[in-house]
Amino acid sequence: MDILTLARIQFGMTTVFHFLFVPLSIGLGLAVAIMETLYVIKKDEIYKDMTKFWGKIFLLSFAVGVVTGIIQEFQFGMNWSEYSRFMGDIFGAPLAVEALLAFFLESTFIGLWAFTWDKVKPRTHAIFMWLVAIGSALSALWILAANSFMQHPVAFKINPETNRAEMDSFLGLLQNPQLWLEFPHVILGAFTTGAFVIVGIAAMNLRKKRNIEFNRKSLKLGAILGTIFAAATMMVGHQQMIALATDQPMKFAAMEAMYDDLEDGSWTAVAFPDTENKNAGFELKVPKLMSLLMGDDGNTTYKGMNTLDKELVEKYKGKHDIASFYVPVKTLFWSFRFMAGFGSVMAIVGLLVLFFLRNDKIMNMGWALFGTSLMAFAPFIANTSGWLITELGRFPWTVYGIFTIADSVSPNVTANQLLFTNIVYFLLFALMGTVLVKMILRENKKGPYYVDPDAANNHIDPLKKEEF
C-alpha cells in the first residue's frame, strides 16, 4: 500500500477508536450529574449509590478517552504535516481554546468530584459533576468547530504569498452553520450513548437477579434519558441531512446511492450499487418518501453522482489534479441506514422498556431483558456509522473544496514507518479496549455495594497535607 492509503487507515483507526470512548464519557457524565441531582433533591440514598457506581464507569471511560485522544493528536502531527502547515492558523485556534478552557474545566472538577465525597455539602458536590458535564460538552463544541470548518469552510482567506489559509474572524468561525447542525447531533448522540450503556448493563444485571432495586431504578432512568435523547438526535440529524443536499451534494447522493438524477421523489430503502459501471444496481424504492422527508413540493430534482462528478471535474479543472469526485458509495449508503436504523430502534426500545417497567412486568421477561442488554452496543454502531459518513463523504478533500487529502499528507514519512505505527496502534488499541472492558465487567460484578476489605488500611486522602 502507498503512503496516502496507510495514512488514511491510521487516521480512520485512531479516530474511530477514540470516538468509541468520547461519547460514552460525555453521556455518562451527564447521567451521573442527573443522578446526583436527584439524590440532592429527593434525599434518597439509592441515587447516591447510583452516582457512585456509574461514576466509576464514567471515570474509566474518561481515562481511556484521554489516552486515545493523545494518540490521535500524535498521529495527526506525524502523518499530516502539510495539512497542519496549510490550516494551522485556523485549526489550532479552537483546539487551543478547548485545551486551555474546556478540558481544564472538565479535568479539574473531575478531580474535585472524585476526592471530595462527604467533604463538601451534597449540593456543592453535585455542582462539581455538572461542571464536569458542561466542560465535556464545551470540549466537544470546540473540536466540532474545527471539524465543521473542514466540512464547510467559512471566515478565512488564502494568503497567496505563503499559500496558507488565514482566519478572517474567530466569531465567524463560531457562526459556521455547519457547526450548529453538527454539534447538537453529536452531543445528543453522546447523551444517548451514556443512557443506553446504563440501560444495557442494568438489564443484564436484572436478568441475573443482581441488586434488583438498584438496577431497576438505573434501567428506568436510562430508558427515560435514552428515549428522549435518541428521538432528539434523529430530529437534529434529519435537519443536517437536508442541509447536506445543498452543502455537500455528492455526499448526499452517495447516502441515497443516486448515480442518476432523482426526479420522482422516491426514497431508496435497499440498494446494491454497481460502483464499477456507476449505476444503482438492484434497488428497492418507496414512492414519494424522499420528497416527504426533504419537505419539498414533489417536483424537486436531486442531482445524481454522475451529474455531480462532471460538474465538479469542470469546476476544479486547472486548480486541483483530481480525476474523479466519487465517494465510497456502498459505505455511505449502508452507514446511513445503520445510523438511522439503530437510532430508531433505540428510541422504540426505550419506550417499550418504560411501558413494561409499569408494575415491573419486565422483571419476569428474560427474553426482553436479554434483548435490552444488547442495546448497550447500539449507540456505538450508530456513532461509528455517522462518523464514517461525515469523514468518508468529504473525499477527496480534507478541507471541502480547498485542500485535498493527497496534498495534506506528510512528505517525509515512509510507507514502512506508517505500516509499523499502524500495527503498533492496532495492538495498543486492542489491549486498551480489552483492559477497559474487563475493568467495567469487574466493577459491574462487584456491584454498587461492594466494600473493599483493604480500603480502610490503604486509604489516602489527597486533600490532607499529612498524607505528604
Side-chain angles (χ1 to χ4, degrees), residues 96-159:
V97 176
E98 187 271 337
L100 293 173
L101 295 180
F103 184 71
F104 182 79
L105 174 71
E106 183 183 14
S107 53
T108 298
F109 282 97
I110 279 180
L112 283 173
W113 180 82
F115 293 113
T116 56
W117 279 105
D118 302 322
K119 297 182 184 302
V120 297
K121 293 180 178 178
R123 181 178 301 178
T124 304
H125 199 264
I127 290 173
F128 290 164
M129 196 63 217
W130 275 107
L131 290 172
V132 171
I134 292 170
S136 299
L138 290 176
S139 283
L141 173 67
W142 291 112
I143 291 170
L144 292 175
N147 185 270
S148 295
F149 183 88
M150 296 166 71
Q151 304 290 338
H152 184 76
V154 296
F156 77 103
K157 62 183 177 184
I158 304 294
N159 187 325

Side-chain angles (χ1 to χ4, degrees), residues 157-304:
K157 62 183 177 184
I158 304 294
N159 187 325
E161 295 181 0
T162 61
N163 191 31
R164 299 175 69 230
E166 296 179 353
M167 188 188 303
D168 269 347
S169 165
F170 189 70
L171 182 61
L173 193 68
L174 296 179
Q175 291 176 330
N176 189 343
Q178 169 70 20
L179 173 61
W180 299 108
L181 291 170
E182 191 171 331
F183 173 67
H185 189 50
V186 172
I187 201 72
L188 288 168
F191 295 159
T192 307
T193 302
F196 269 94
V197 166
I198 292 172
V199 166
I201 293 176
M204 179 179 68
N205 289 332
L206 286 173
R207 187 167 178 266
K208 295 184 178 181
K209 309 298 183 187
R210 293 174 177 164
N211 302 301
I212 299 296
E213 184 58 18
F214 176 90
N215 284 298
R216 193 185 70 80
K217 281 193 175 294
S218 294
L219 179 64
K220 184 177 181 180
L221 180 61
I224 292 172
L225 296 177
T227 303
I228 294 171
F229 291 136
T233 304
M234 287 190 293
M235 287 191 284
V236 174
H238 179 63
Q239 296 303 314
Q240 195 172 4
M241 181 183 173
I242 292 174
L244 273 182
T246 304
D247 295 340
Q248 294 185 18
M250 181 63 85
K251 181 189 290 186
F252 175 80
M255 288 164 63
E256 299 303 323
M258 290 190 313
Y259 275 100
D260 299 320
D261 295 352
L262 179 69
E263 297 177 344
D264 62 359
S266 60
W267 181 74
T268 305
V270 178
F272 296 97
D274 182 351
T275 54
E276 186 174 344
N277 297 308
K278 313 297 183 194
N279 63 62
F282 172 81
E283 56 184 356
L284 181 63
K285 287 178 169 287
V286 181
K288 305 299 180 185
L289 184 55
M290 174 65 85
S291 293
L292 181 64
L293 292 172
M294 298 298 287
D296 61 44
D297 59 4
N299 297 314
T300 302
T301 297
Y302 296 95
K303 292 180 181 178

Side-chain angles (χ1 to χ4, degrees), residues 323-352:
S324 169
F325 287 84
Y326 289 101
V327 297
V329 179
K330 293 179 182 176
T331 305
L332 264 66
F333 178 82
W334 287 108
S335 291
F336 177 68
R337 276 141 190 83
F338 274 109
M339 179 184 67
F342 276 100
S344 303
V345 168
M346 283 188 281
I348 293 169
V349 168
L351 284 174
L352 290 174

